[in-house]
Protein backbone atom coordinates (compact mmCIF):
# COMPACT_ATOMS: atom_id res chain seq x y z
CA UNK A 1 0.00 0.00 0.00
CA UNK A 2 1.85 3.04 -1.32
CA UNK A 3 1.16 6.29 0.55
CA UNK A 4 -1.56 4.62 2.61
CA UNK A 5 -4.00 7.30 3.84
CA UNK A 6 -6.12 5.27 6.26
CA UNK A 7 -9.18 5.24 4.03
CA UNK A 8 -9.27 1.45 3.57
CA UNK A 9 -11.93 0.06 5.87
CA UNK A 10 -12.05 -3.60 6.86
CA UNK A 11 -15.72 -4.50 7.37
CA UNK A 12 -14.74 -7.73 9.11
CA UNK A 13 -11.90 -10.21 9.61
CA UNK A 14 -9.55 -10.83 6.68
CA UNK A 15 -8.23 -14.35 7.39
CA UNK A 16 -6.76 -14.78 3.88
CA UNK A 17 -4.35 -11.84 4.19
CA UNK A 18 -0.87 -13.08 5.10
CA UNK A 19 1.27 -10.04 4.12
CA UNK A 20 0.93 -6.28 4.50
CA UNK A 21 3.48 -3.80 3.18
CA UNK A 22 2.58 -0.15 3.74
CA UNK A 23 4.28 3.23 3.36
CA UNK A 24 2.65 6.03 5.31
CA UNK A 25 3.07 9.78 5.70
CA UNK A 26 1.31 10.51 9.02
CA UNK A 27 2.68 13.98 9.57
CA UNK A 28 0.15 16.10 7.67
CA UNK A 29 -3.38 15.60 6.49
CA UNK A 30 -5.65 17.51 4.14
CA UNK A 31 -8.53 17.51 6.61
CA UNK A 32 -8.70 19.68 9.70
CA UNK A 33 -9.01 16.80 12.13
CA UNK A 34 -6.92 14.01 13.63
CA UNK A 35 -4.82 12.35 10.95
CA UNK A 36 -6.14 8.89 10.10
CA UNK A 37 -3.22 7.14 8.39
CA UNK A 38 -1.77 5.23 11.36
CA UNK A 39 -5.12 4.49 13.08
CA UNK A 40 -6.50 3.21 9.77
CA UNK A 41 -3.49 0.95 9.22
CA UNK A 42 -3.74 -0.32 12.80
CA UNK A 43 -7.37 -1.39 12.24
CA UNK A 44 -6.33 -3.23 9.10
CA UNK A 45 -3.40 -4.87 10.92
CA UNK A 46 -5.62 -6.33 13.61
CA UNK A 47 -8.30 -7.35 11.09
CA UNK A 48 -5.87 -9.96 9.70
CA UNK A 49 -5.74 -12.79 12.28
CA UNK A 50 -3.36 -14.89 10.14
CA UNK A 51 -0.93 -12.14 9.19
CA UNK A 52 2.60 -13.53 8.88
CA UNK A 53 4.54 -10.57 7.47
CA UNK A 54 4.20 -6.86 8.27
CA UNK A 55 6.30 -4.06 6.78
CA UNK A 56 5.78 -0.39 7.68
CA UNK A 57 7.72 2.59 6.35
CA UNK A 58 7.06 6.10 7.64
CA UNK A 59 8.12 9.03 5.48
CA UNK A 60 7.55 12.77 5.33
CA UNK A 61 8.24 15.60 7.78
CA UNK A 62 11.58 16.31 6.11
CA UNK A 63 11.55 20.01 6.96
CA UNK A 64 12.39 22.76 4.51
CA UNK A 65 12.49 26.54 4.42
CA UNK A 66 8.88 26.79 5.65
CA UNK A 67 7.91 24.73 8.68
CA UNK A 68 4.27 23.68 8.70
CA UNK A 69 2.73 23.07 12.10
CA UNK A 70 -0.53 21.10 12.24
CA UNK A 71 -3.31 22.63 14.31
CA UNK A 72 -5.14 19.36 14.99
CA UNK A 73 -4.09 16.26 17.00
CA UNK A 74 -1.53 14.00 15.37
CA UNK A 75 -1.11 10.22 15.67
CA UNK A 76 2.30 8.85 14.73
CA UNK A 77 2.16 5.32 16.19
CA UNK A 78 -0.25 2.57 17.20
CA UNK A 79 -2.55 3.31 20.13
CA UNK A 80 -3.81 0.31 22.10
CA UNK A 81 -6.90 -0.22 24.18
CA UNK A 82 -5.65 -3.46 25.70
CA UNK A 83 -7.98 -5.93 23.98
CA UNK A 84 -6.06 -6.28 20.71
CA UNK A 85 -4.86 -9.76 19.75
CA UNK A 86 -1.64 -9.78 17.76
CA UNK A 87 -1.42 -11.90 14.61
CA UNK A 88 1.25 -14.66 14.51
CA UNK A 89 3.96 -12.55 12.85
CA UNK A 90 6.99 -14.33 11.46
CA UNK A 91 8.50 -11.31 9.67
CA UNK A 92 8.58 -7.69 10.84
CA UNK A 93 10.08 -4.69 9.04
CA UNK A 94 10.01 -1.15 10.48
CA UNK A 95 11.56 1.95 8.95
CA UNK A 96 11.21 5.35 10.59
CA UNK A 97 8.74 4.06 13.16
CA UNK A 98 9.22 5.32 16.71
CA UNK A 99 7.51 3.20 19.33
CA UNK A 100 6.38 4.81 22.57
CA UNK A 101 6.97 3.09 25.91
CA UNK A 102 3.24 2.64 26.49
CA UNK A 103 2.81 1.05 23.07
CA UNK A 104 5.85 -1.18 23.55
CA UNK A 105 4.28 -2.77 26.63
CA UNK A 106 1.56 -4.28 24.41
CA UNK A 107 4.04 -5.55 21.80
CA UNK A 108 6.20 -6.98 24.58
CA UNK A 109 3.41 -8.83 26.36
CA UNK A 110 1.11 -9.88 23.48
CA UNK A 111 3.27 -10.64 20.45
CA UNK A 112 4.31 -14.29 20.14
CA UNK A 113 8.05 -13.58 19.95
CA UNK A 114 8.93 -17.25 19.43
CA UNK A 115 7.20 -17.08 16.02
CA UNK A 116 9.27 -14.12 14.81
CA UNK A 117 11.98 -15.33 12.44
CA UNK A 118 12.90 -12.22 10.43
CA UNK A 119 13.46 -8.62 11.56
CA UNK A 120 14.46 -5.59 9.47
CA UNK A 121 15.06 -2.11 10.93
CA UNK A 122 15.97 1.12 9.16
CA UNK A 123 17.52 2.82 7.31
CA UNK A 124 15.86 5.57 9.33
CA UNK A 125 16.66 5.78 13.04
CA UNK A 126 16.05 2.53 14.94
CA UNK A 127 18.27 2.33 18.04
CA UNK A 128 15.29 2.72 20.41
CA UNK A 129 13.66 -0.33 18.83
CA UNK A 130 16.86 -2.36 19.27
CA UNK A 131 16.78 -1.61 22.99
CA UNK A 132 13.11 -2.59 23.19
CA UNK A 133 13.57 -5.88 21.31
CA UNK A 134 16.64 -7.01 23.27
CA UNK A 135 15.73 -10.02 25.37
CA UNK A 136 12.49 -10.67 23.44
CA UNK A 137 13.33 -11.32 19.77
CA UNK A 138 15.39 -14.39 20.66
CA UNK A 139 14.48 -16.78 17.81
CA UNK A 140 15.48 -14.72 14.77
CA UNK A 141 17.06 -16.44 11.80
CA UNK A 142 17.38 -13.30 9.67
CA UNK A 143 18.28 -9.77 10.80
CA UNK A 144 18.81 -6.62 8.74
CA UNK A 145 19.83 -3.35 10.38
CA UNK A 146 20.51 -0.24 8.30
CA UNK A 147 21.40 3.36 9.14
CA UNK A 148 21.67 6.50 7.05
CA UNK A 149 25.25 7.43 6.12
CA UNK A 150 26.78 9.92 8.53
CA UNK A 151 24.67 9.01 11.55
CA UNK A 152 26.61 8.17 14.68
CA UNK A 153 29.86 6.24 15.22
CA UNK A 154 30.91 3.03 13.50
CA UNK A 155 30.02 0.87 16.49
CA UNK A 156 26.43 0.85 17.70
CA UNK A 157 26.22 -0.27 21.33
CA UNK A 158 22.50 -0.98 21.04
CA UNK A 159 23.17 -3.27 18.08
CA UNK A 160 26.00 -5.06 19.87
CA UNK A 161 23.77 -5.70 22.89
CA UNK A 162 20.95 -6.94 20.70
CA UNK A 163 23.09 -9.36 18.67
CA UNK A 164 24.67 -10.64 21.86
CA UNK A 165 21.29 -11.40 23.48
CA UNK A 166 20.51 -14.50 21.36
CA UNK A 167 22.31 -17.05 19.18
CA UNK A 168 20.00 -18.24 16.37
CA UNK A 169 20.89 -16.06 13.36
CA UNK A 170 21.57 -17.64 9.97
CA UNK A 171 21.54 -14.43 7.90
CA UNK A 172 22.79 -11.03 9.05
CA UNK A 173 22.99 -7.77 7.11
CA UNK A 174 24.38 -4.63 8.74
CA UNK A 175 24.69 -1.45 6.70
CA UNK A 176 25.91 1.77 8.27
CA UNK A 177 27.45 0.17 11.36
CA UNK A 178 30.31 -2.19 12.20
CA UNK A 179 29.79 -5.25 14.40
CA UNK A 180 32.57 -6.78 16.43
CA UNK A 181 33.67 -10.33 15.69
CA UNK A 182 32.91 -11.15 19.34
CA UNK A 183 29.22 -10.36 18.88
CA UNK A 184 29.05 -12.21 15.55
CA UNK A 185 30.68 -15.31 16.98
CA UNK A 186 27.69 -15.65 19.28
CA UNK A 187 25.79 -17.08 16.27
CA UNK A 188 27.35 -20.44 15.29
CA UNK A 189 24.72 -21.13 12.59
CA UNK A 190 25.46 -17.92 10.68
CA UNK A 191 25.65 -18.71 6.94
CA UNK A 192 25.32 -15.31 5.26
CA UNK A 193 26.96 -12.10 6.47
CA UNK A 194 27.05 -8.60 5.01
CA UNK A 195 28.67 -5.77 6.99
CA UNK A 196 28.99 -2.47 5.15
CA UNK A 197 30.44 0.43 7.11
CA UNK A 198 30.25 3.98 5.82
CA UNK A 199 32.69 6.77 5.17
CA UNK A 200 32.68 9.14 8.14
CA UNK A 201 34.96 12.10 8.88
CA UNK A 202 37.81 10.56 10.85
CA UNK A 203 40.58 12.15 12.88
CA UNK A 204 44.25 11.54 12.05
CA UNK A 205 43.39 9.87 8.73
CA UNK A 206 42.04 6.81 10.55
CA UNK A 207 40.63 4.05 8.37
CA UNK A 208 37.15 2.73 8.67
CA UNK A 209 37.02 -0.58 10.60
CA UNK A 210 37.34 -3.86 8.72
CA UNK A 211 37.66 -7.50 9.68
CA UNK A 212 41.16 -8.90 9.93
CA UNK A 213 42.27 -12.23 8.46
CA UNK A 214 42.21 -13.71 11.95
CA UNK A 215 38.64 -12.49 12.42
Amino acid sequence: MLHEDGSRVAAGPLPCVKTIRASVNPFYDTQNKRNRQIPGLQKLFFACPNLKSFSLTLFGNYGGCVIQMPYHPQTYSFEFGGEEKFPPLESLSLDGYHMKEREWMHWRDKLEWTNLRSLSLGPQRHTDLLDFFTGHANALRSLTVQAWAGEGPDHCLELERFIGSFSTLEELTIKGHFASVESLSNHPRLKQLCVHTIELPRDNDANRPVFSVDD
Side-chain angles (χ1 to χ4, degrees), residues 109-158:
D109 297 337
K110 297 189 176 183
L111 180 68
E112 291 292 336
W113 292 98
T114 54
N115 291 334
L116 193 65
R117 294 292 183 266
S118 175
L119 176 64
S120 178
L121 301 176
Q124 299 182 66
R125 187 175 179 272
H126 52 254
T127 53
D128 54 340
L129 293 177
L130 285 169
D131 274 340
F132 280 149
F133 293 164
T134 299
H136 301 281
N138 294 330
L140 296 179
R141 296 176 184 171
S142 176
L143 172 65
T144 299
V145 177
Q146 302 181 75
W148 287 116
E151 286 191 1
D154 294 303
H155 291 272
C156 177
L157 297 180
E158 295 86 354

Side-chain angles (χ1 to χ4, degrees), residues 62-75:
Y62 297 124
C65 58
V66 178
I67 300 177
Q68 301 181 26
M69 297 299 293
Y71 293 98
H72 47 282
Q74 298 289 290
T75 303

Side-chain angles (χ1 to χ4, degrees), residues 21-177:
R21 294 179 60 88
S23 62
V24 178
N25 180 356
F27 297 98
Y28 300 105
D29 206 345
T30 57
Q31 303 180 26
N32 188 26
K33 59 183 179 180
R34 179 184 292 272
N35 58 335
R36 59 185 180 176
Q37 292 91 334
I38 294 296
L41 181 63
Q42 179 178 344
K43 290 180 181 179
L44 185 60
F45 177 84
F46 285 107
C48 304
N50 298 315
L51 193 68
K52 301 290 187 180
S53 177
F54 181 62
S55 174
L56 173 58
T57 297
L58 266 59
F59 66 95
N61 198 30
Y62 297 124
C65 58
V66 178
I67 300 177
Q68 301 181 26
M69 297 299 293
Y71 293 98
H72 47 282
Q74 298 289 290
T75 303
Y76 303 121
S77 58
F78 284 3
E79 296 182 340
F80 293 103
E83 302 300 323
E84 296 85 357
K85 182 178 179 180
F86 276 79
L89 290 182
E90 297 177 0
S91 176
L92 177 63
S93 176
L94 299 172
D95 180 17
Y97 188 79
H98 298 284
M99 194 176 294
K100 297 180 180 179
E101 181 70 34
R102 184 175 179 179
E103 176 190 355
W104 161 242
M105 293 170 60
H106 293 272
W107 285 84
R108 180 195 64 194
D109 297 337
K110 297 189 176 183
L111 180 68
E112 291 292 336
W113 292 98
T114 54
N115 291 334
L116 193 65
R117 294 292 183 266
S118 175
L119 176 64
S120 178
L121 301 176
Q124 299 182 66
R125 187 175 179 272
H126 52 254
T127 53
D128 54 340
L129 293 177
L130 285 169
D131 274 340
F132 280 149
F133 293 164
T134 299
H136 301 281
N138 294 330
L140 296 179
R141 296 176 184 171
S142 176
L143 172 65
T144 299
V145 177
Q146 302 181 75
W148 287 116
E151 286 191 1
D154 294 303
H155 291 272
C156 177
L157 297 180
E158 295 86 354
L159 177 59
E160 295 273 345
R161 285 196 296 266
F162 180 62
I163 295 177
S165 66
F166 63 105
S167 59
T168 57
L169 283 179
E170 298 177 5
E171 299 178 2
L172 175 60
T173 299
I174 302 173
K175 294 184 178 181
H177 294 303

